[in-house]
Amino acid sequence: FPKYMEQMKGIPAKYKDRYFVSNSVGDTVQGSHSRAIHSVHHSSAIERGFILLVNGLIFCKGESKANSSRKILERDLYRLLNRVDDAIPEAPPSQGTQRAAKSHQYRPGTQSDTLTPNADALLEQCVHWDYFIKEKATEENFPSQTLEEGDMVYSMGPRSAIEIGREQIIYFCANILGEEPDPSMLREVQEDIEEVEEQTASM
C-alpha cells in the first residue's frame, strides 16, 4: 500500500491490510514497458487506456484536497469522458434502471468490434480491482460544490498509485494535450516522495 496514501483521510479501512504484487521492472515516465505488455491483448489495451484516462481526469480535472488526494464527482467524470468519446454516456446510470444493473456485469473482450468499452461496467470493475476509490459524496469529502442526492466521487486507488503512479499520469495528460508537464504537479508528487523518505529514515 503506498505510504503517502496511508495518511489520507477517508481512505477505506479495507486497504490498510491489503497487499499488492507489483511488477518491479523499471519503466519510463511515458509507460513504454506497460504499453508493451498491455498492447498484446486488445481488451487489455483498452482497459489500460481507460484506466489511464480516468486517472488523468481525476488528477488534472478533479479537486485537490489538503492531503494530496484529488477527487472528482461521478457526474463530472462522465461529462468529461463523453467529451473524449461521445459513445460514452454523458451522465452516470440512475439507480434502479436496467443500465445500472448492467454496470455490475463487466466481461472483458465482449466489445471487440469497438474501441469504446462499457464505461459503466468497466468503472465498477476498476473499483473492484482497486484502481479507483468510489465513495458517497458528502459535505466533508467534497465541500466545494452543491451536492445532489446520490452523488458519488472517484479518486485514485492504491493499485493505480502502485502500477502507474502520479508522475506517469501527469506525463500522460501532458502528452495528450501536447504540452509540457505541469511543474507544480510534479513538485507536489516529489514533495510527497521526500516526505515519505524522511519519515522512513526517522523510524
Side-chain angles (χ1 to χ4, degrees), residues 10 12 71-74 127 133-143 147-155:
K71 298 178 186 290
I72 190 170
L73 278 175
E74 183 179 43
V127 171
I133 295 173
K134 181 182 179 182
E135 56 190 320
K136 184 177 180 180
T138 65
E139 291 183 0
E140 183 178 2
N141 65 20
F142 214 88
L147 300 177
E148 300 175 2
E149 183 66 30
D151 266 340
M152 306 295 290
V153 291
Y154 279 85
S155 56

Side-chain angles (χ1 to χ4, degrees), residues 6-199:
E6 290 180 358
Q7 304 170 0
M8 289 183 179
K9 186 178 180 182
I11 290 290
K14 67 179 181 179
Y15 294 120
K16 299 298 182 182
D17 298 315
R18 187 163 293 184
Y19 296 86
F20 300 91
V21 177
S22 177
N23 181 351
S24 61
V25 176
D27 204 354
T28 64
V29 291
Q30 291 81 16
S32 303
H33 176 66
S34 178
R35 287 203 303 268
I37 293 174
H38 294 281
S39 62
V40 175
H41 303 289
H42 182 74
S43 61
S44 178
I46 291 174
E47 289 167 1
R48 191 67 171 183
F50 185 80
I51 291 167
L52 270 170
L53 174 60
V54 172
N55 272 306
L57 293 174
I58 290 172
F59 204 81
C60 297
K61 294 295 186 180
E63 294 200 5
S64 179
K65 305 300 177 183
N67 57 7
S68 298
S69 68
R70 281 183 165 81
K71 298 178 186 290
I72 190 170
L73 278 175
E74 183 179 43
R75 50 188 162 97
D76 290 340
L77 176 59
Y78 268 84
R79 178 175 50 80
L80 292 166
L81 286 171
N82 175 261
R83 288 184 182 179
V84 175
D85 184 345
D86 59 12
I88 295 175
E90 194 173 6
S94 300
Q95 292 300 315
T97 62
Q98 185 177 12
R99 181 183 156 201
K102 288 183 177 180
S103 69
H104 300 285
Q105 302 172 5
Y106 179 66
R107 296 183 179 86
T110 56
Q111 289 185 284
S112 58
D113 57 328
T114 176
L115 295 178
T116 303
N118 179 336
D120 300 337
L122 187 49
L123 275 171
E124 290 295 333
Q125 185 63 52
C126 286
V127 171
H128 177 71
W129 284 335
D130 297 327
Y131 283 110
F132 311 131
I133 295 173
K134 181 182 179 182
E135 56 190 320
K136 184 177 180 180
T138 65
E139 291 183 0
E140 183 178 2
N141 65 20
F142 214 88
S144 59
Q145 290 194 34
T146 302
L147 300 177
E148 300 175 2
E149 183 66 30
D151 266 340
M152 306 295 290
V153 291
Y154 279 85
S155 56
M156 181 190 293
R159 194 168 169 187
S160 287
I162 293 170
E163 293 186 11
I164 303 171
R166 292 174 294 170
E167 186 177 21
Q168 186 175 317
I169 290 169
I170 293 170
Y171 276 91
F172 171 76
C173 293
N175 187 48
I176 288 177
L177 296 172
E179 301 174 353
E180 290 298 313
D182 187 327
S184 64
M185 288 185 173
L186 291 174
R187 186 165 56 251
E188 178 185 318
V189 172
Q190 186 58 38
E191 286 173 355
D192 280 346
I193 293 172
E194 291 172 357
E195 183 179 346
V196 169
E197 289 176 347
E198 288 176 4
Q199 291 174 352

